[in-house]
Amino acid sequence: QKEVEQNSGPLSVPEGAIASLNCTYSDRGSQSFFWYRQYSGKSPELIMFIYSNGDKEDGRFTAQLNKASQYVSLLIRDSQPSDSATYLCAVNLFSGAGSYQLTFGKGTKLSVIP
Amino acid sequence: EPEVTQTPSHQVTQMGQEVILRCVPISNHLYFYWYRQILGQKVEFLVSFYNNEISEKSEIFDDQFSVERPDGSNFTLKIRSTKLEDSAMYFCASSVNKETQYFGPGTRLLVL
């Protein structure tokens, strides 16, 4: 059973601070890792993806992957009130049937306080 | 910027009725997916579709569900006989390769 675990939060940070979101996954065969942002009532919006161990930076966002620990994280620097949303961690495992399917965590709700 | 579109945005139906949810994937994408999200729960994979056939389906995707790409642009999800527990947001997604998936805005289905 493939599982992706996230703290549900809410995680509250003051405006301008760093928000740190964490995710663990159970299947060691997982090959790629995604962070989506989901505003209430809206669809998941892709923020970042990471395939290799280490850090990947894109603007105010940094994704970190540690495959040995089966751990993925997302750092948001200079957090803004508009970053307030639920952040979904998703893991992609090649099924062998010619496609990938995303397995999602339940999401961490982030609240950035002005 | 190209995006996935879905219609309708909301659908209300009676239990036992058939519904068809429609999606237009991003034009150069080759892989298509349906996911659902029951209110307050996680996003769940239903089915993936490539080269005009189902690549993989989850346990949720039983005989009541079917998918079709009737022409070069549309991708549809049909639920033959809806149940109360089918009430959820249904998201279509597409990807140009097997990796990064982009989601449409969703269809909120309510079964009464």
Side-chain angles (χ1 to χ4, degrees), chain A residues 3-4 32 34 36 38 41-44 46 49 51 88 92 94-102 104-106, chain B residues 31 33 35 37 40-45 48 50 55-56 89 91 98-106 108:
Chain A
E3 297 287 342
V4 177
S32 47
F34 302 82
Y36 286 83
Q38 187 175 33
K42 302 295 185 183
S43 64
L46 181 67
F49 56 88
Y51 305 142
L88 309 179
N92 212 341
F94 180 56
S95 68
S99 75
Y100 289 79
Q101 55 171 280
L102 291 175
F104 282 84
K106 291 192 73 172
Chain B
Y31 299 85
Y33 310 84
Y35 292 82
Q37 186 176 32
Q41 298 189 22
K42 63 175 70 175
V43 176
E44 299 174 291
F45 170 78
S48 60
Y50 169 71
S55 302
E56 187 155 11
M89 281 286 282
F91 297 112
K98 296 174 189 174
E99 294 282 4
T100 311
Q101 297 178 26
Y102 296 90
F103 282 69
R108 186 177 297 278

Side-chain angles (χ1 to χ4, degrees), chain A residues 22-82:
Chain A
N22 305 313
C23 170
T24 58
Y25 59 94
S26 63
D27 196 322
R28 286 196 173 273
S30 301
Q31 297 169 320
S32 47
F33 308 87
F34 302 82
W35 284 99
Y36 286 83
R37 177 173 61 198
Q38 187 175 33
Y39 293 110
S40 181
K42 302 295 185 183
S43 64
E45 174 192 5
L46 181 67
I47 299 175
M48 288 194 69
F49 56 88
I50 186 167
Y51 305 142
S52 305
N53 277 328
D55 295 359
K56 180 181 178 182
E57 187 173 317
D58 184 359
R60 296 188 296 113
F61 300 97
T62 299
Q64 299 173 317
L65 173 61
N66 183 326
K67 288 188 177 180
S69 301
Q70 295 174 243
Y71 176 88
V72 195
S73 66
L74 179 70
L75 300 178
I76 307 175
R77 288 182 299 282
D78 188 24
S79 296
Q80 301 297 308
S82 58

Side-chain angles (χ1 to χ4, degrees), chain B residues 58-73:
Chain B
S58 71
E59 292 176 353
I60 303 168
F61 194 89
D62 62 22
D63 292 344
Q64 294 299 314
F65 291 88
S66 63
V67 290
E68 194 178 34
R69 188 154 163 84
D71 52 43
S73 59

